[in-house]
């Protein structure tokens, strides 16, 4: 289970929400180490969250790095609370240009120098670093997409990937083909469904697996053949996070994805 799915409920009762998530069959919980952007509220203390996870019977899952540059401190914190995988959710160069979600190849290649610093800090703490895709990561920058640029520059084990099935689908990419191409470099999955009928701001484009247009029962069987990456149900800002979690659990409860 990913933090974003039940963020509203966590804000009211963090520990109690994790207890309810566990009763739905989830085994891992992924959460942020710091604020993901200036517009987001600071998250709960990661040390306390890890303790609530233990009390609920949940393993500490993939933890998300903030965009601050104190990478050694963040990696030390991640290791100390029992995380094994740390994720960089996006390259902030996509938000510093004139058009949000767009950048240049030179700017992205410059940002990868920072990704190299993250990778070194992660290795020092025995952690695996993954990059999480969004729609813009599938748009070519002078011939290669951001994901391809990362895969070319870094060796497996230096920087790997957390593939978001919903964002890949929105970008027009076959998520199964993407997972197959990246192979063992896919260490984690974000499992969200897509409502393609949502074309205005008055609906939810991303929904729980089983509630949208992607054939998750069929996808699941094929994912099991392609990867042993751990999967996290993630639904962006649902009206009822526990209902979204229950919908996802009903789809995946009999699977090995967490």
């Amino acid at each position: 289970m990913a933090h974003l799915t039940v963020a509203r409920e966590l804000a009211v009762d963090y520990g109690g929400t994790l207890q309810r998530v566990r009763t739905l069959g989830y085994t891992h919980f992924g959460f942020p180490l710091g604020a993901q952007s200036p517009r987001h509220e600071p998250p709960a203390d990661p040390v306390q969250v890890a303790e609530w996870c233990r009390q609920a019977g949940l393993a500490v899952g993939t933890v998300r790095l903030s965009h601050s540059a104190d990478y050694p401190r963040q990696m030390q914190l991640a290791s100390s609370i029992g995380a094994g995988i740390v994720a960089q959710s996006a390259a902030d160069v996509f938000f510093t240009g004139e058009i949000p979600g767009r950048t240049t190849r030179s700017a992205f290649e410059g940002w990868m120098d920072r990704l190299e610093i993250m990778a070194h800090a992660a290795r020092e703490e025995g952690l695996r670093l993954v990059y999480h895709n969004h729609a813009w990561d599938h748009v070519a920058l002078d011939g290669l997409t951001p994901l391809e640029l990362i895969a070319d520059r870094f060796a497996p084990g230096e920087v790997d990937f957390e593939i978001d099935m919903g964002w890949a689908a929105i970008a027009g990419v076959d998520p199964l083909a993407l997972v197959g191409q990246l192979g063992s470099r896919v260490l984690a999955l974000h499992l969200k469904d897509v409502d393609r009928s949502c074309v205005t701001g008055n609906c939810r484009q991303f929904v729980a697996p089983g509630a949208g247009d992607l054939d998750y029962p069929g996808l699941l069987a094929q994912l099991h053949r392609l990867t042993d990456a751990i999967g996290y149900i993630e639904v962006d800002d649902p009206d009822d996070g526990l209902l979204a979690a229950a919908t996802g659990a009903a789809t995946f409860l009999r699977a090995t994805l967490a």
Side-chain angles (χ1 to χ4, degrees):
M1 167 62 62
H3 164 274
L4 191 58
T5 307
V6 289
R8 295 187 186 191
E9 290 78 7
L10 293 170
V12 176
D13 180 4
Y14 212 118
T17 298
L18 291 186
Q19 295 280 352
R20 289 188 284 276
V21 163
R22 182 67 184 98
T23 65
L24 291 171
Y26 292 98
T27 61
H28 291 65
F29 181 67
F31 55 92
L33 293 176
Q36 299 299 284
S37 76
R39 64 186 176 85
H40 286 112
E41 292 294 324
D45 174 22
V47 175
Q48 178 63 72
V49 174
E51 178 59 28
W52 280 325
C53 284
R54 286 188 287 272
Q55 292 173 3
L58 292 164
V60 171
T62 302
V63 293
R64 320 203 75 69
L65 300 170
S66 73
H67 290 288
S68 61
D70 57 345
Y71 302 122
R73 183 199 67 81
Q74 292 191 65
M75 302 304 178
Q76 291 166 7
L77 175 58
S79 179
S80 73
I81 63 176
I85 299 174
V86 292
Q88 179 62 41
S89 291
D92 56 13
V93 291
F94 285 107
F95 309 104
T96 56
E98 295 182 2
I99 304 175
R102 295 188 186 179
T103 191
T104 64
R105 178 159 174 168
S106 62
F108 189 80
E109 288 178 335
W111 177 83
M112 286 196 296
D113 292 340
R114 287 171 50 197
L115 191 59
E116 187 169 344
I117 296 171
M118 294 179 221
H120 176 76
R123 288 196 302 274
E124 288 291 300
E125 294 296 328
L127 300 168
R128 300 290 297 272
L129 174 65
V130 295
Y131 181 82
H132 177 283
N133 64 306
H134 291 80
W136 50 76
D137 292 304
H138 303 287
V139 178
L141 302 174
D142 294 336
L144 292 175
T145 69
L147 288 189
E148 291 169 335
L149 290 168
I150 291 172
D152 283 354
R153 175 160 171 174
F154 297 96
E158 291 183 327
V159 179
D160 295 301
F161 298 96
E162 176 180 67
I163 294 303
D164 189 303
M165 305 286 283
W167 276 117
I170 287 292
V173 172
D174 179 347
L176 283 173
L178 180 63
V179 171
Q181 289 162 9
L182 293 172
S184 62
R185 298 188 71 169
V186 179
L187 303 186
L189 299 165
H190 270 189
L191 306 167
K192 57 166 62 83
D193 213 335
V194 177
D195 178 4
R196 291 191 174 95
S197 70
C198 177
V199 293
T200 70
N202 298 321
C203 55
R204 304 286 186 188
Q205 187 177 44
F206 292 125
V207 295
D213 300 329
L214 300 182
D215 175 22
Y216 262 101
L219 287 174
L220 181 59
Q222 296 179 74
L223 280 172
H224 278 313
R225 291 193 290 270
L226 288 173
T227 181
D228 58 0
I230 188 167
Y232 296 83
I233 303 288
E234 185 188 60
V235 185
D236 299 33
D237 193 30
D239 291 325
D240 186 330
L242 286 171
L243 177 59
T247 301
T251 304
F252 290 97
L253 190 56
R254 294 185 298 275
T256 58
L257 296 171

